[in-house]
Amino acid sequence: MAFTLPALPYAPDALEPHIDAQTMQIHHGKHHQAYVDNLNKAIAGTPHENKSLEELIKAAGTISPAVRNNGGGHWNHSFFWELLAPNAGGQPTGALAAAINDVFGSFDSFKEKFNTAGATRFGSGWAWLIINNGTLQITSTPNQDNPLMDVAEVKGTPLLGVDVWEHAYYLKYQNRRPEYMNAIWNVINWNKVAENFAKAAK
Ligand code: MN3
């Protein structure tokens, strides 16, 4: 069964002025679409054809780089779009807020550490908030890898992921990745992150 591009859960201009419409259109319609198309090409006629995306991701180290890169790209972007929303941002509440304060001291200190993880990821990759054995942790991965992969240096269940590839911000922020990392907090959908947390903490 071929994979398909999920629709954006909001209009491409809904995250303005923090993430511009053109970036969203190209990022979703061209980059994410290409990961989906190339993943389908890579698994066509192979034993991986009928596996779920999660199964492919978890075996990333034992399958072809094309499946690792494009499967990761498809999983990561599908996850990412849901984590953003118009009229979002602010701070988490409830159990998630308590867990963040517990581990990082405060929301501001969490944000600072997360921004640093994104800013210091050399080249292309992702910054993550994960849960691992019940504990929150910040990490980052190169390229389209993610913490679910068997090849990840730090493994866990992603709760929040931010794309730090240049294609995610270059049109508006050019080389200023830290500025993009600061702006994205205005559109983080904490309800979705809390949902991921509740599911993973079970
Ligand atoms: Mn991307």
Side-chain angles (χ1 to χ4, degrees), residues 66-138:
V67 177
R68 173 176 173 174
N69 291 332
N70 294 294
H74 180 34
W75 193 94
N76 292 348
H77 288 84
S78 302
F79 185 66
F80 184 52
W81 309 134
E82 300 283 337
L83 291 166
L84 307 177
N87 310 312
Q91 294 197 16
T93 55
L96 175 60
I100 285 176
N101 289 336
D102 228 37
V103 174
F104 304 104
S106 68
F107 180 67
D108 283 345
S109 144
F110 155 73
K111 259 191 355 188
E112 200 185 303
K113 289 192 176 90
F114 193 96
N115 283 353
T116 301
T120 56
R121 167 49 61 187
F122 183 78
S124 299
W126 290 75
W128 303 96
L129 173 67
I130 61 170
I131 187 163
N132 187 11
N133 290 325
T135 305
L136 297 185
Q137 201 176 340
I138 289 169

Side-chain angles (χ1 to χ4, degrees), residues 133-155:
N133 290 325
T135 305
L136 297 185
Q137 201 176 340
I138 289 169
T139 183
S140 73
T141 55
N143 305 314
Q144 295 297 353
D145 284 0
N146 70 46
L148 292 171
M149 289 182 174
D150 53 352
V151 291
E153 261 173 62
V154 180
K155 293 181 195 63

Side-chain angles (χ1 to χ4, degrees), residues 157-187:
T157 305
L159 306 180
L160 169 67
V162 171
D163 189 343
V164 300
W165 282 57
E166 277 188 348
H167 69 223
Y169 60 85
Y170 200 84
L171 292 179
K172 185 176 172 78
Y173 297 100
Q174 290 83 49
N175 61 323
R176 304 187 302 278
R177 188 190 289 181
E179 211 176 298
Y180 156 75
M181 294 294 295
N182 273 327
I184 206 156
W185 297 111
N186 295 300
V187 290

